[in-house]
Amino acid sequence: MRILSWARAEWKHGRRNRELFMLALPAVTFKLIFNYLPLVGLIIAFKKYNFAKGLWGSDWVGWDNFRFFFQSDTAFRITRNTILYNGAFIVLGTVIAIAFAIMMNEIGRRWLKIHQTVMFLPYFLSWVVVSYVTMGFLDHKSGFLNQLLTFLGQDPVRWYETSAYWPVIIILVYLWKSVGFSTLIYYAGILGIDSSYYEAARIDGAGKMQMIRHITIPLLTPLVVILFIVAVGNIFRADFGLFYFIPNDVGFLYGATDVIDTYVYRSLRVVGDIGMSTAVGLYQSVVGFALVLTTNYIIKKINSDNALW
């Protein structure tokens, strides 16, 4: 009886809100087709996939695909690179974006549109275009940096053959391209702060830095925490375009630029092991989901108002 009464109540609720459900139908259909139906393919992670036998006819191998990845010589290196790079992106990207957002809030409205456009424009460039811009700076013979070093009497550097420089290069390129988008998000958060807080602080004699420290940053904290939790969920996923196109897939740089996504791509391209690629993708998703739950739990223990749920 409870099931029947629940079903009857849901049916009435659906009939009362049928217009809203019809509006949501395209988005729900899109999610179903492109996000939920492909989950059936995760079964490949536990099979030795054979194109002739198909998805259901391929032989079961259990955890062998996962074992193949974790026992490889490069598993530790690419996992370390993925975590460290994403950790640096999260920390530096958040700090710099908040700093820029606060500075944008302090400049005059006359120049605000120009600053927004200049900072946001790199976000729309593809990684292929950015890779050519990077090459224009780092090319051994005609790159801007080597031309400058030669002008200063220094020896040119073979940037694409020296891996030691690339952690810094990768981080700088990422920040240049993406920090503008994050800045606009935090700037929108600052605009949503009630101006009466600043007026009251100004009456009490507070300076700019005091208002930033005691009003802006505390009231931005919930937004920062939400974006941080979402970013932590993707810490095991690297931006493929960044790590593949910017170093030009040069073998000399694999020690500093190779991450899980580029390794899987090369394995799939060279070996054609679909099972292993699917297993690594599942591994990334499960770990990311666990990290989101863990991070949200820790933040909820510290301050439940800032947790995502």
Side-chain angles (χ1 to χ4, degrees):
M1 292 298 293
R2 286 186 178 180
I3 296 177
L4 289 176
S5 61
W6 173 81
R8 197 176 296 115
E10 290 297 319
W11 174 255
K12 291 180 180 179
H13 176 72
R15 290 192 63 184
R16 285 196 303 266
N17 299 279
R18 56 182 178 273
E19 294 86 0
L20 296 177
F21 283 114
M22 290 299 294
L23 288 173
L25 186 60
V28 172
T29 305
F30 178 87
K31 280 288 184 181
L32 179 65
I33 295 175
F34 293 100
N35 292 87
Y36 287 94
L37 287 181
L39 291 177
V40 178
L42 292 178
I43 195 175
I44 297 176
F46 305 95
K47 288 193 170 191
K48 184 177 181 180
Y49 187 73
N50 187 305
F51 287 98
K53 295 181 179 180
L55 177 62
W56 305 110
S58 299
D59 300 327
W60 286 94
V61 294
W63 298 98
D64 286 354
N65 289 323
F66 295 90
R67 196 173 295 114
F68 172 78
F69 170 70
F70 287 111
Q71 289 180 350
S72 64
D73 297 334
T74 56
F76 172 77
R77 185 192 70 199
I78 61 178
T79 303
R80 177 202 62 194
N81 288 349
T82 304
I83 295 174
L84 291 180
Y85 274 122
N86 282 327
F89 295 160
I90 293 171
V91 174
L92 294 177
T94 300
V95 172
I96 294 174
I98 292 175
F100 281 166
I102 292 173
M103 287 188 286
M104 286 178 61
N105 191 50
E106 298 299 327
I107 64 176
R109 300 290 183 229
R110 179 182 178 185
W111 300 102
L112 184 59
K113 294 291 184 181
I114 297 176
H115 285 81
Q116 285 178 328
T117 303
V118 171
M119 294 183 65
F120 199 41
L121 182 61
Y123 180 77
F124 292 100
L125 300 178
S126 71
W127 284 117
V128 177
V129 175
V130 176
S131 69
Y132 282 106
V133 174
T134 306
M135 188 180 297
F137 277 87
L138 303 181
D139 185 73
H140 177 65
K141 294 182 179 180
S142 57
F144 173 76
L145 289 182
N146 278 343
Q147 293 287 339
L148 180 62
L149 289 174
T150 303
F151 176 77
L152 296 175
Q154 303 294 322
D155 295 329
V157 177
R158 293 186 176 273
W159 301 99
Y160 287 95
E161 297 178 12
T162 310
S163 62
Y165 300 109
W166 278 88
V168 176
I169 295 172
I170 290 289
I171 292 174
L172 289 178
V173 171
Y174 172 84
L175 293 175
W176 174 77
K177 188 177 185 298
S178 63
V179 78
F181 179 75
S182 301
T183 298
L184 291 184
I185 294 177
Y186 291 119
Y187 178 63
I190 293 175
L191 293 180
I193 298 175
D194 192 342
S195 60
S196 62
Y197 291 112
Y198 296 103
E199 293 171 2
R202 199 175 292 112
I203 293 173
D204 290 339
K208 290 288 186 181
M209 292 303 299
Q210 289 176 314
M211 287 189 285
I212 291 172
R213 180 180 176 184
H214 297 288
I215 299 176
T216 304
I217 294 179
L219 292 179
L220 270 183
T221 300
L223 177 61
V224 174
V225 170
I226 291 173
L227 295 179
F228 174 76
I229 293 173
V230 174
V232 166
N234 291 317
I235 200 169
F236 266 68
R237 294 185 181 277
D239 192 324
F240 176 81
L242 169 63
F243 291 97
Y244 184 80
F245 291 111
I246 301 304
N248 285 333
D249 196 30
V250 176
F252 291 110
L253 308 178
Y254 282 167
T257 63
D258 204 14
V259 290
I260 295 176
D261 299 73
T262 54
Y263 171 78
V264 171
Y265 172 75
R266 284 199 311 274
S267 299
L268 185 61
R269 185 185 62 184
V270 176
V271 182
D273 194 339
I274 298 177
M276 189 274 292
S277 303
T278 308
V280 175
L282 179 58
Y283 157 69
Q284 289 176 297
S285 299
V286 171
V287 173
F289 179 66
L291 287 173
V292 168
L293 294 178
T294 304
T295 305
N296 186 77
Y297 176 79
I298 295 172
I299 291 173
K300 192 172 183 178
K301 286 293 183 182
I302 298 173
N303 188 343
S304 60
D305 293 334
N306 292 334
L308 193 57
W309 66 83

